[in-house]
Amino acid sequence: MHVARRERSRLPAAERRRQILEVASGLIAERGFWGLSMQDVADGCGLTVPGLLHHVGSKDGLLIAMLEHRDAEDARAWGDSVHDLRGLCAAIVRRNAAQPEIVRLFAVLSAESLAPEHPAHDYFVARQQDALDKLTRLAKPARDAEQLARQVIAMMDGLQLQWLRDQAGTDLVALWESAAETLFVVDPARRAPARIGSRR
Amino acid sequence: MHVARRERSRLPAAERRRQILEVASGLIAERGFWGLSMQDVADGCGLTVPGLLHHVGSKDGLLIAMLEHRDAEDARAWGDSVHDLRGLCAAIVRRNAAQPEIVRLFAVLSAESLAPEHPAHDYFVARQQDALDKLTRLAKPARDAEQLARQVIAMMDGLQLQWLRDQAGTDLVALWESAAETLFVVDPARRAPARIGSRR
DNA sequence: GTCTATAGGACGATAGAC
DNA sequence: GTCTATCGTCCTATAGAC
């Protein structure tokens, strides 16, 4: 794959670092971590490979730095603005709809890192547990809070994959709104212990 | 990564081919297509790399052959046994729960192939459209059949990812049953007018 | 902070013998 | 149907100059 080669120039370390992480994000989103080459990242930054390695130490180091960077950005993005589950989901979906590149980055890395040997494996295991804990806490008043949290996470992940693959411009927010109507339905039959009319 | 090296032996072409696809499935499930090396596949089969290439032509050829093989297996697996949406989903989930390797294979390839340059990109676009069409048809009596189909697919995909990442042995079937209770909830406000009380 | 130069492999693929 | 031998390319990483 062709990667546009930037002109070389001397940059302050912090700025260069930001540039590197940005370029790497885009490339990993396209080809995954296994498919990423340091040469392409370097070219995209107007650096040579050793120049790049000076900043991130190693290829794995680059990945870790990128994930930490994203976490920091995310944390900055929602502070603790929203305290109800449905509102938080809506906010997440709205933000994601605006940055498909990042969503794809995480979709690809998240699947790739299912392999225990993947350098981001532990990160994504922790991330999933974390998300589940947080959403379960927010879902608390509901019956089966953990199940609801799991389903909400699964639905967001699954819809995002569909959305990313759809050529035509499907609307992620609309997809989610429709799903939320189902997930958060107030159904007397589900609150009652007897489960009238349910299968099983 | 270390790949067990099999002893060399001469095999009939058809049998060798089956072996190659099996070994490749396992390796791609672990490292994705970009992370796959023909050397590892060859080692896993007790072949040299040129010996392997004699059978599959190229690395891309190997991937295509594998996807076609899986499609054939799947087609054989369900003929057209189930004709209601909920029953079909249950059957799918039950089968998937029994073969996590295959599920991971598709999870990884499906994410990797979001990139338009990926050799399986078109395959997965078509596959998604196909699944959506089929499930939408099965959901037809319901209001918003397409939305329901999308949500069902998203939920299955999402729950599978969670299940694959969970260290402890979560039960995929149980996860799905719980989600199905929500997705297929019989809600008068959302049910199609003509079909009161029926599921299908 | 970035370079040149280079080490040392792994990669996919081909040619041609058996 | 499988081999040996080899090509040319790409890879990550290091050493040391500026």
Side-chain angles (χ1 to χ4, degrees):
Chain A
M1 196 241 221
H2 177 69
V3 172
R5 186 164 316 210
R6 258 188 147 84
E7 265 184 36
R8 304 208 164 150
S9 67
R10 211 162 243 259
L11 285 185
E15 199 168 328
R16 181 64 86 186
R17 198 180 163 77
R18 218 176 317 119
Q19 181 200 28
I20 289 171
L21 298 181
E22 205 171 296
V23 169
S25 291
L27 289 174
I28 296 180
E30 278 188 10
R31 343 210 337 211
F33 181 69
W34 298 125
L36 177 74
S37 100
M38 298 298 272
Q39 182 67 65
D40 287 348
V41 179
D43 287 354
C45 296
L47 281 178
T48 56
V49 173
L52 167 61
L53 283 169
H54 167 74
H55 291 277
V56 296
S58 70
K59 195 186 171 186
D60 284 15
L62 171 58
L63 178 61
I64 300 304
M66 221 206 49
L67 291 172
E68 283 170 356
H69 176 67
R70 285 257 73 84
D71 276 352
E73 290 253 314
D74 281 358
R76 200 166 46 69
W78 1 83
D80 21 33
S81 48
V82 194
H83 288 98
D84 81 285
L85 182 56
R86 188 164 181 174
L88 176 62
C89 291
I92 292 175
V93 169
R94 234 179 297 120
R95 180 154 184 256
N96 284 347
Q99 42 183 13
E101 301 278 299
I102 305 292
V103 178
R104 191 163 68 149
L105 170 71
F106 272 87
V108 172
L109 275 182
S110 151
E112 230 181 7
S113 71
L114 287 172
E117 307 87 354
H118 194 282
H121 175 80
D122 292 348
Y123 172 88
F124 275 95
V125 168
R127 182 187 155 90
Q128 171 164 297
Q129 190 58 53
D130 216 61
L132 184 57
D133 289 349
K134 279 208 181 70
L135 294 203
T136 300
R137 226 171 296 124
L138 284 180
K140 246 330 178 322
R143 222 178 55 105
D144 278 340
E146 185 186 324
Q147 289 301 314
L148 178 56
R150 279 188 180 281
Q151 289 162 24
V152 161
I153 295 172
M155 184 69 83
M156 288 199 291
D157 288 348
L159 287 180
Q160 279 171 10
L161 282 174
Q162 282 180 41
W163 170 65
L164 288 171
R165 197 169 345 260
D166 265 348
Q167 332 258 40
T170 19
D171 180 1
L172 179 62
V173 176
L175 280 183
W176 170 252
E177 287 298 331
S178 169
E181 289 294 320
T182 304
L183 287 173
F184 296 109
V185 68
V186 181
D187 176 3
R190 281 181 62 77
R191 296 192 178 289
R195 298 222 183 189
I196 296 162
S198 92
R199 168 191 276 218
R200 234 260 196 92
Chain B
M1 195 246 221
H2 176 71
V3 173
R5 187 164 313 210
R6 258 187 148 82
E7 265 184 36
R8 303 206 165 149
S9 66
R10 211 164 243 259
L11 284 184
E15 199 169 328
R16 178 67 85 190
R17 199 180 163 80
R18 218 178 315 119
Q19 180 199 29
I20 289 171
L21 298 180
E22 204 171 298
V23 169
S25 291
L27 289 174
I28 297 179
E30 278 187 12
R31 345 212 333 213
F33 181 70
W34 298 127
L36 177 74
S37 101
M38 296 298 271
Q39 183 66 66
D40 286 349
V41 180
D43 288 354
C45 297
L47 280 178
T48 57
V49 173
L52 167 62
L53 284 169
H54 167 75
H55 291 277
V56 296
S58 71
K59 194 185 172 184
D60 285 15
L62 171 58
L63 178 60
I64 301 305
M66 220 205 50
L67 291 171
E68 283 170 354
H69 175 68
R70 285 257 72 85
D71 276 352
E73 290 252 314
D74 281 359
R76 201 166 47 70
W78 358 84
D80 22 35
S81 47
V82 193
H83 289 97
D84 82 284
L85 182 56
R86 187 163 181 179
L88 176 61
C89 291
I92 293 175
V93 168
R94 233 178 299 120
R95 179 153 185 256
N96 285 348
Q99 41 182 14
E101 301 278 299
I102 305 293
V103 178
R104 191 161 71 151
L105 170 70
F106 272 86
V108 172
L109 275 181
S110 152
E112 230 181 8
S113 71
L114 288 172
E117 307 87 354
H118 193 283
H121 176 79
D122 292 347
Y123 172 88
F124 275 94
V125 169
R127 183 186 154 90
Q128 171 163 297
Q129 191 57 52
D130 216 62
L132 185 58
D133 290 348
K134 280 209 180 71
L135 294 202
T136 300
R137 225 171 298 124
L138 284 180
K140 247 326 177 326
R143 222 176 55 106
D144 278 340
E146 185 186 325
Q147 289 301 314
L148 178 57
R150 280 190 179 280
Q151 289 162 25
V152 161
I153 295 171
M155 183 69 84
M156 288 199 291
D157 288 349
L159 288 180
Q160 278 171 12
L161 282 173
Q162 283 180 41
W163 169 64
L164 287 171
R165 196 166 349 257
D166 266 348
Q167 331 258 41
T170 19
D171 180 0
L172 179 61
V173 175
L175 280 182
W176 170 252
E177 286 297 330
S178 169
E181 290 293 320
T182 304
L183 287 172
F184 296 108
V185 69
V186 182
D187 174 1
R190 289 175 62 78
R191 203 186 325 141
R195 290 216 152 229
I196 296 167
S198 113
R199 192 166 280 122
R200 242 340 196 339

